[in-house]
Structures are given as structure tokens and as C-alpha cells.
Amino acid sequence: MNTRVDSRMIELVHVNRSFKRADGQTVKAVQDVSVVVEEGEFVCLVGPSGCGKSTLLQMVAGLLEPSDGGIAVAGKEISGPGRERGMVFQKDSVFPWMRVIDNVEYGLKCRGVAAAQRRDIARTYLARVGLAHVERAWPRELSGGMLKRVAIATVFANGGRVLLLDEPFGALDYVTRRQLQSVLLNLWDEGGSAARRTILFVTHDVDEALALADRILVFHSGRQVDDLAVTAERPRTVDSLLLPDMVAIKRKLLAHLGLEEGSAASRIAASHEAGV
Amino acid sequence: MIATTRARRGRWISVAVFLALAVIWQILSMVYTVEAQPGEPMIAGWQILFTKTFLTLSDYWQGGLGVPTVADGAERSYLAALLSVLSHSADTIGRMALGLLLGGAVGLLLGLAVSWSRWTRRLFDWPLQFLRTLPLLAMVPLFQLWFGTYFLGEVLFVAYGIAVIVFAGAVNAVRNVPQIYIDNARSLGASRWTLYRTVILPAIFPAMRSTILLSLGAGWSAVLGAEYLGAQSGLGFIIVYAQQFAYLDRMFFIALLFILYTSISYWAIGRLSARLLAWAPPSQRR
């Protein structure tokens, strides 16, 4: 992996975020997280629900401000959203009042790209996600999986070097999820390994993380508790998941999620029970 | 196929109800023959409404087009009556339409302004919420003294009545825009101006549609009320004069015209907005 300083794409330095709940209590959603993501890396954020992984992603997107700490993208401290960071949301974010092609063009239009040029770009990406035939359709006429394809085409068309995906496939059925995983990987790899975009991908699905990631960051109770490199070659197949390294990683992940003994989760649960 | 059959049957039912009401009215006019004053029945049958009553409306013809007015000694005529109905209707409809456009636009802009920034919220929200609670008809004399009784005063009054409703509806609709659309637009690089134009406006449209249909009712009441309380023309003006002489048939005739116009306005705006909502699921287009 490239370790030159200027290849750092995303840098989080001692990032904290707390929320005030309605009952007045403060919840620390993210605590002292420092992460460096290299350019072109595909990083999955994994952890039980409520561990702060989505909050972290929202902060990198600029939709949420850290309570403390700094976030830099491509060497520049961020303040608010920017088009160099595309976001794919868990829920449907496709604008229902625009036709599919207009949705894909949206970011380009915001930037003032000429009509003919942005249409070309949008068509290219719609074709890549397999939706060339529905470019004039209204979003209400598409299935959940197709809407996700539109959202992916939209962020890729917008040309951001960083893509942030917040459990994008969480609500989809198994087959659709697998299809979209390979759609995403193909787009990520479209220009060869040198042109890869940097991806932060939040998921609670361990197998999804293993299939997609170069690196898996594990979170628990707002803290980063592990950083696992996934070295299996691409394209990964069903067999890849059976490699000894992969099984070892999976075991660790399951342990972190509290599904096996000796995990951070079970230790924390145990300490809670002990009243610490 | 089934849907069109059902729609056709629904239309026939409406026609039947309409005819039944007309027949009931006619029967009532024959059964209840009390007169408000000699020659003025409390309930005028259709044979009176479309002949004598209609003819008397030529009294309100204000002249022009070579057709002399009754006040100048001319005979009542169907032509004068028709011109009278058309010109007074045009005044009323014109005031309503301009008031609707003006009030709708101002109410919408102010409603959007409340969410635009902290400053605009402070500036507009409280004063407008206060203005909203004032009883509409109590404001008529004020508007007429400020802006006159012929045109400007009436239009501004209608605009005011519509604007307060559209304002409240817009504030509420903007509040209900799903955050995810706003986040998505911002992360794709939309400026605030672009966000309002391409996301907030279309997203609130389904909710604004019902608000505008609601405000239509208030608008028609406002224009009638304003004309009733001092205008020199319009259908409300005819009602005032008819009422002073207990011409119940004329008042009923004007009321029928009003029902016709309000129905057409609801139908037209409903159709127009449904066309603009082609993107929305059918349940939001009805």
C-alpha cells in the first residue's frame, strides 16, 4: 500500500461528536477517532448499530459538524458538504420530481456543466449501472434496487474523488445487494487501480465488508476498536471468503460484534453488568 | 377499463344529484308560495329565475357599448342583463384572480423566507403569525379606506386573505420536506438558492396544492365580502342592492353564479396542479 504523505485522502484527527438528547443527557456518539484513509482505498466501517459509524460518515460528508477535532479531505480542512465528496444514503434520496436522467445530472447542473456534456456523462453512468433503458422514467416507477443504482450513478457522474456510502444496500434483498456490490466495485475499478476513488462504506453486514473492503475499521460505543487489512485478491468470489485469512478476519469481526467470546462488546457488556 | 367505467358512472351520479336538486327547488317553489313582498316569492322557480329575474339584472348595467342603462330611462333588455352579468362577473373574477396570484406569490415567498436563514425567520415569522390571527372580514373597511373601493382595495384584500393561508401552509410544508433530499442536494453541490429552486419548491408542491385549494375558498369569501361592504361593482355589489329591496330571486341568481365560478376555479386549479404533479404517486394527484 502506498504510504506517501500526499496520498492521504481523508484524515480524521481526534474527532468527537456528542448529541444532547431530549431528556437533557449528553450522548457521546463519536469519541476521539483518528483515522487516515489513503487515496483509492476502499474502507468499510463496521460495528453494531449505535456505534457512531453513521455519525462519523455524516461528519466526513460535512452534513454534521464535529464537536471537537478536525477532518481534512485531500489535505484541506472541510467545512460543510462539497462536491468532491459524494454521498449515497441508506434511505431513498433520489428526487421523485425529477426524471431519472435529471437526477443523475443534478450535481453537474449545480456546477454549471453545459447541457449536452452533462447529458453525455449522465448517460454513460446510467449505462454503467444498467439503467440506460429507464432514463426518462419517474423514480416512483422504479424498484428500490433501481433507485440505489440511480443514486450510485449520480455520485459517480458528479465526479467526486471521495465516495461515502451509508449502509446503502441495507434495505435490499440478498440478490439485489450482491448485484449492486459488483456494480459498485466495477465503477470503483473503472479506470484501473491508479484511478480508483476513495470509498468509505458503512455496513453492518460482515460478509459485505469482507467482499468489498481493502480495510475494515471496527467501531464500538463511538470508539474505533480495530483496524483490519483485507488482503484477499480481487475480484473476490465465494471461495475468497473461505481463505484462512478471511475466516480469521470474519472471526474477529464477529467477536467485535459480540457474537463470540472475548470481544470488546462482550467485555463492555460484562463491565456494565458489573456496574463499572 | 374498469376505472373508466367507474369514472363514467360517477359522473352520471353527479349529474343525477344535480338534476334532483334542481327539481326539488322547483317543487319547493310551487309548494311554498309565501312572498317577501308583493310579486317577490321567497323561493323563485326556474321559470322566473331565467326570465323575469334575469331581465331585472339589466338594472345593474352601468352603460357603454351603445347599450343604454335603465337609470337613463331605457327599457330592461336581455342584452343589457347579459352585459350586466358579464361585466360584474368580470370585475369579481378579475379581483379574485389578481388577488390569488399576488397573495399566492407573496404568501409563498414569505413562507419560504421563514426557513431561508435565521435573520429572515426573525424578520417574518412572528409578525406574520400575528397578522394571521386577525379576523379577515374585520379588515375590509381598513383596506377600503387605505386603497379605495373600486379595484386596488379589493384586490389587495383578497391577496391578504389568500397570502396568510398560503404563508402558513408554506411554512408548514417546508418544515415537512424530508431532510434526506436537502442533504442529498447539498452533498451534490447545490447552493442555497439552487436548493430552494430545485428541491424545496417541488418538494412542497403536493402540500401547497391542498393549501391553495383551501385558500380559494377564503379568496372567494374575501372578494364577496369586500364587494358586499362597499365596492361599486361586482357580484357582491349586486347582492347588496338586491338585499336592500328584498329581491330574493336576484340574490339567489347571483348565488348560483358564484357557485358556478367557485366550482370552475376549483376544477381548473385542481386539473392544472395535477398535471404539474405527474411525478407524484396517484394518491397525491387527486
Side-chain angles (χ1 to χ4, degrees), chain A residues 50-96:
Chain A
C51 70
K53 56 193 193 297
S54 283
T55 306
L56 198 70
L57 203 71
Q58 296 256 318
M59 287 194 282
V60 179
L63 297 169
L64 206 63
E65 266 182 53
S67 311
D68 194 23
I71 300 172
V73 172
K76 266 199 268 176
E77 184 112 0
I78 63 158
S79 59
R83 67 160 197 86
E84 80 284 359
R85 282 160 285 142
M87 177 100 174
V88 176
F89 299 83
Q90 183 179 10
K91 290 192 219 149
D92 288 335
S93 59
V94 175
F95 303 132

Side-chain angles (χ1 to χ4, degrees), chain A:
Chain A
M1 200 166 293
N2 202 332
T3 50
R4 283 180 298 121
V5 176
D6 60 3
S7 71
R8 293 175 168 200
M9 199 59 185
I10 305 171
E11 211 173 347
L12 291 89
V13 185
H14 300 297
V15 171
N16 285 276
R17 173 74 204 197
S18 46
F19 292 102
K20 240 205 179 104
R21 273 202 320 229
D23 60 10
Q25 273 197 316
T26 304
V27 182
K28 290 178 179 169
V30 172
Q31 297 184 60
D32 196 28
V33 172
S34 295
V35 172
V36 173
V37 178
E38 304 291 327
E39 180 166 12
E41 246 188 324
F42 196 131
V43 176
C44 280
L45 313 182
V46 175
S49 82
C51 70
K53 56 193 193 297
S54 283
T55 306
L56 198 70
L57 203 71
Q58 296 256 318
M59 287 194 282
V60 179
L63 297 169
L64 206 63
E65 266 182 53
S67 311
D68 194 23
I71 300 172
V73 172
K76 266 199 268 176
E77 184 112 0
I78 63 158
S79 59
R83 67 160 197 86
E84 80 284 359
R85 282 160 285 142
M87 177 100 174
V88 176
F89 299 83
Q90 183 179 10
K91 290 192 219 149
D92 288 335
S93 59
V94 175
F95 303 132
W97 50 86
M98 290 180 198
R99 291 183 191 276
V100 167
I101 186 106
D102 296 323
N103 262 289
V104 180
E105 283 179 30
Y106 186 81
L108 300 165
K109 203 174 173 185
C110 287
R111 257 191 290 150
V113 176
Q117 197 187 346
R118 63 174 191 251
R119 187 125 301 198
D120 277 352
I121 296 172
R123 287 216 171 107
T124 305
Y125 282 100
L126 268 180
R128 296 266 175 82
V129 299
L131 288 183
H133 59 296
V134 293
E135 66 167 53
R136 297 291 300 158
W138 292 114
R140 69 175 153 87
E141 297 162 331
L142 306 187
S143 68
M146 290 164 104
L147 288 174
K148 275 282 127 60
R149 287 173 194 253
V150 176
I152 290 171
T154 305
V155 294
F156 272 94
N158 203 24
R161 296 301 302 158
V162 173
L163 299 184
L164 310 165
L165 299 93
D166 187 4
E167 298 191 32
F169 310 145
L172 303 175
D173 64 90
Y174 179 75
V175 176
T176 312
R177 190 156 69 228
R178 292 296 300 266
Q179 287 171 344
L180 284 173
Q181 286 168 4
S182 61
V183 164
L184 179 65
L185 283 178
N186 288 337
L187 282 171
W188 177 60
D189 212 20
E190 62 182 347
S193 60
R196 281 174 180 167
R197 296 164 203 228
T198 311
I199 294 185
L200 281 190
F201 188 108
V202 168
T203 178
H204 53 245
D205 181 340
V206 169
D207 287 336
E208 184 165 66
L210 289 170
L212 297 176
D214 291 324
R215 232 170 106 198
I216 301 175
L217 303 179
V218 188
F219 288 84
H220 199 283
S221 303
R223 293 178 186 281
Q224 188 201 323
V225 293
D226 212 342
D227 182 346
L228 306 162
V230 186
T231 50
E233 276 180 36
R234 297 176 188 275
R236 292 177 191 157
T237 61
V238 189
D239 294 337
S240 314
L241 292 174
L242 303 175
L243 295 169
D245 284 359
M246 292 293 249
V247 174
I249 295 171
K250 183 165 180 174
R251 198 163 279 148
K252 275 188 185 168
L253 286 172
L254 291 176
H256 281 305
L257 292 170
L259 301 173
E260 283 191 7
E261 286 304 310
S263 65
S266 58
R267 278 201 306 276
I268 289 170
S271 69
H272 276 299
E273 276 162 30
V276 179

